[in-house]
């Protein structure tokens, strides 16, 4: 089995890949714009799990390079984990459209560009799994994070539609909605809704693949927290200034 991680320096992506290395003895390909760092992470995976692991160059925003990137893979992956993502300060995004654009592009446009290429290939052979890392943030817009949330809401709906399209062909699409997982992306931030440890997030993603799930939250509590937040009446939501 071959697992390709797009955004190969993602800590959640690597935690999930490690579960495939541990349980399936999968070969791991870390596709990253920072190949040097990804090479180091691949070397750690080789040492820890005794599997083949390597790093290759990939930039989610270099749309015109995506077809060539995928065609040049020496073997076709069985599982593709779309793990890259961009989080910026909400207030700075409000004041600087360039920042807002980088969030929208890094979370949504890049995913659409590369995953359409993967989808077309998997559809042709009638197998494969695409795992997209979206976010609970996309479940409801809040003043503290609505630009990032909008990009993730777009990604979640995109993955819903991709799954609907590919389901009859035998290709599986899994949407992952992580809550707060302590990685470099959220360094210096805190969560009001609890923390999912990184190894738990990795295991949840692997188990979702193993059990053929369609959409999962990472961590046990998040499903219920988000059901509550989604159902807060708008009139009440507008009064909750700290959410
Ligand atoms: N951690 C959380 O609490 C949390 C919660 C909800 C959702 N998520 C989502 O989960 C995913 C993984 O996040 P994480 O927590 O593992 O954070 P992370 O360790 O910071 O990983 C994100 C990775 O995305 C990569 N990336 C960004 N732009 C890229 C581009 N143009 N091309 C290639 N790679 C690019 C970054 O690469 P570089 O290393 O080169 O910068 C970084 O390694 C993200 O989509 C994130 O939005 C995370």
């Amino acid at each position: 089995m071959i697992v390709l991680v797009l955004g190969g320096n993602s800590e959640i992506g690597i935690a999930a890949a490690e579960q495939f290395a541990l349980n399936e003895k999968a070969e791991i390909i870390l596709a990253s714009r920072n190949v040097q760092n990804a090479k180091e992470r691949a070397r750690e995976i080789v040492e820890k799990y005794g599997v083949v692991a390597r790093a290759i160059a990939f930039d989610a925003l270099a749309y015109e390079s995506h077809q060539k990137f995928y065609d040049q893979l020496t073997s076709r992956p069985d599982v593709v984990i779309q793990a890259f993502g961009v989080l910026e300060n909400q207030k700075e995004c409000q004041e600087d459209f360039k920042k807002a654009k980088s969030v929208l592009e890094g979370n949504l446009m890049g995913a659409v560009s590369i995953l359409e290429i993967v989808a077309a290939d998997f559809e042709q052979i009638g197998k494969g799994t695409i795992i997209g890392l979206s976010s609970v943030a996309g479940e409801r817009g809040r003043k503290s994070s609505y630009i990032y949330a909008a990009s993730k809401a777009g990604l979640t709906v995109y993955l819903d539609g991709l799954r609907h399209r590919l389901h009859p062909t035998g290709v599986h699409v899994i949407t992952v909605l992580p809550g707060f997982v302590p990685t470099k992306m959220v360094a210096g931030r805190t969560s009001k809704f609890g923390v999912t440890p990184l190894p738990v997030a990795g295991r949840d993603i692997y188990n979702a693949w193993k059990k053929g799930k369609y959409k999962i939250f990472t961590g046990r509590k998040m499903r219920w927290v988000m059901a509550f937040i989604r159902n807060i009446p708008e009139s009440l939501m507008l009064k909750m200034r700290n959410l």
Side-chain angles (χ1 to χ4, degrees), residues 108-228:
L108 181 58
M109 303 276 279
V112 173
S113 172
I114 185 64
L115 293 184
E116 283 303 311
I117 290 165
V118 177
D121 182 48
F122 281 6
E123 185 173 35
Q124 210 182 2
I125 58 163
K127 62 179 183 168
T129 300
I130 294 170
I131 302 177
L133 299 197
S134 189
S135 173
V136 293
E139 298 290 282
R140 185 142 195 192
R142 293 178 290 131
K143 69 169 187 172
S144 57
S145 62
Y146 66 83
I147 290 177
Y148 174 76
S151 69
K152 289 298 193 179
L155 178 60
T156 299
V157 172
Y158 169 75
L159 292 167
D160 283 345
L162 190 63
R163 176 164 45 249
H164 193 210
R165 166 187 152 199
L166 295 177
H167 182 70
T169 71
V171 179
H172 193 56
V173 178
I174 303 172
T175 310
V176 179
L177 302 171
F180 189 93
V181 182
T183 65
K184 63 184 184 298
M185 176 175 273
V186 294
R189 294 173 189 246
T190 53
S191 163
K192 292 188 177 72
F193 310 115
V195 172
T196 305
L198 185 57
V200 173
R203 276 198 297 274
D204 285 350
I205 294 168
Y206 169 75
N207 286 334
W209 171 81
K210 192 81 185 160
K211 293 177 183 164
K213 300 263 188 199
Y214 300 120
K215 195 182 265 190
I216 62 148
F217 292 85
T218 64
R220 260 185 280 162
K221 279 192 308 196
M222 274 330 281
R223 173 175 300 282
W224 310 113
V225 172
M226 290 322 296
F228 171 73

Side-chain angles (χ1 to χ4, degrees), residues 6-13 31-34 37 58-61 82-86 106-107 133-136 148 152 177-186:
L6 299 168
N9 282 324
S10 150
E11 294 182 51
I12 300 179
S32 170
R33 62 183 176 178
N34 183 347
N37 194 53
F58 170 75
D59 184 342
L61 299 185
Q82 176 271 311
F84 56 83
V86 176
N107 291 319
L133 299 197
S134 189
S135 173
V136 293
Y148 174 76
K152 289 298 193 179
L177 302 171
F180 189 93
V181 182
T183 65
K184 63 184 184 298
M185 176 175 273
V186 294

